[in-house]
Amino acid sequence: MDKTQQAEQSIRNSNRFLTAFHRIEHSMKDIIGTNDHLSFYKLVELSKRKNAVVRRFEEDLKEYATLRNAIVHHQTSTEYAIAEPHDEIVQALEAIDEALAKPVTVGEMFARKVSTLQAQDTLLDALVMIRDKQFTQIPVYQGNVFVGLLTAVGITFWLANHVEKEDISWEMTIESTLQHEKKKENHLFVPREMSIFEAEELFKEAMAKGKRLEALLISDKDGLVGIVTPLDLMKIEA
């Protein structure tokens, strides 16, 4: 690549960077509901209180603000930017812009038919489902009423508590097994409009409190329409 091509690449990257940066500024103003002139740092501080995407990329945004200042205040001509954003930097900023403009929701990412069990189903039914479908979290209902989230960990604890007893039976109901879940509040119901960044925060907040959130149950007027597990979110980040 000769000097002319390098200059053209610099201009393209600089323009793309500044365009995405300005769109992010407008998005943050929309989040906090203002048209006032505020510094970019102030916009980040105010909008992060209301938006999970800003909270997730707070430090990145502040670093990009420094690069933006270098581009704008030290540009020697319309054809030369002293700070030349690399392709990956521009792409990363554009990804944040996209996430703010149209955040990916849990409904978009994780809506699916959810396999469930009835409270009167047996422990054997649960184990077969875990084996065949590789599920570790199973919503349990009594008719149409949700009664709890059965987990592989909960079943393990239940078996451990009964290992020296003679009352273990594969025909015992899920309802009795469910009562032995170590963490009763191991789930949350969330709307399908929730962003994946908000979902990620819920898992982290539970962990910070010393709790294990096993799943987010996505629901709408039609009932249960999806499920999000910690492993699901880890796969996204991988």
Side-chain angles (χ1 to χ4, degrees):
M1 183 181 294
D2 60 28
K3 291 183 178 180
T4 300
Q5 291 174 318
Q6 289 178 338
E8 290 175 352
Q9 178 67 27
S10 172
I11 293 170
R12 287 196 298 271
N13 279 2
S14 296
N15 287 341
R16 284 174 56 194
F17 182 92
L18 292 175
T19 298
F21 192 92
H22 291 319
R23 284 199 298 253
I24 290 171
E25 282 185 306
H26 287 299
S27 292
M28 290 193 294
K29 285 186 176 183
D30 289 340
I31 290 168
I32 62 177
T34 185
N35 288 317
D36 295 341
H37 175 71
L38 297 172
S39 71
F40 190 80
Y41 286 88
K42 187 67 173 178
L43 285 173
V44 172
E45 288 298 319
L46 292 175
S47 60
K48 75 177 183 181
R49 301 173 187 174
K50 298 183 177 182
N51 188 277
V53 178
V54 179
R55 288 193 292 272
R56 169 70 176 275
F57 295 106
E58 176 184 358
E59 296 305 317
D60 292 327
L61 288 170
K62 289 178 178 178
E63 288 184 8
Y64 294 147
T66 301
L67 178 54
R68 179 262 184 191
N69 291 339
I71 294 173
V72 171
H73 298 302
H74 299 285
Q75 193 165 12
T76 58
S77 72
T78 57
E79 298 180 353
Y80 178 72
I82 193 170
E84 299 180 4
H86 291 292
D87 290 345
E88 57 268 27
I89 295 297
V90 176
Q91 291 164 5
L93 187 64
E94 289 175 337
I96 297 174
D97 174 32
E98 179 70 17
L100 277 172
K102 188 181 178 182
V104 178
T105 67
V106 292
E108 292 172 318
M109 186 69 69
F110 300 111
R112 58 195 173 192
K113 180 176 176 56
V114 181
S115 296
T116 63
L117 288 168
Q118 286 291 314
Q120 295 309 308
D121 287 336
T122 67
L123 176 60
L124 180 60
D125 293 326
L127 292 173
V128 169
M129 181 177 288
I130 291 172
R131 182 197 66 193
D132 292 348
K133 296 192 175 183
Q134 299 294 297
F135 293 157
T136 56
Q137 301 95 351
I138 307 170
V140 180
Y141 283 79
Q142 183 80 57
N144 294 322
V145 179
F146 177 83
V147 294
L149 183 71
L150 183 68
T151 69
V153 172
I155 293 176
T156 301
F157 276 115
W158 183 85
L159 290 171
N161 288 333
H162 288 74
V163 70
E164 296 177 352
K165 301 178 183 179
E166 297 181 357
D167 60 347
I168 293 181
S169 168
W170 301 130
E171 298 304 315
M172 295 189 74
T173 65
I174 295 299
E175 186 174 26
S176 61
T177 309
L178 193 62
Q179 295 174 358
H180 290 77
E181 282 284 353
K182 295 295 288 184
K183 300 292 184 183
K184 298 294 184 181
E185 298 178 2
N186 59 358
H187 63 277
L188 288 174
F189 282 92
V190 299
R192 64 187 309 151
E193 297 80 17
M194 174 177 282
S195 78
I196 59 173
F197 297 103
E198 292 176 282
E200 184 179 44
E201 286 186 340
L202 290 177
F203 284 110
K204 290 180 178 179
E205 287 169 4
M207 186 178 298
K209 295 177 182 178
K211 300 179 179 179
R212 178 170 174 78
L213 187 60
E214 293 282 353
L216 300 179
L217 304 177
I218 308 169
S219 61
D220 63 12
K221 59 183 178 60
D222 297 319
L224 189 62
V225 296
I227 186 169
V228 188
T229 69
L231 182 59
D232 289 328
L233 291 177
M234 287 176 63
K235 289 178 180 178
I236 292 177
E237 295 180 355

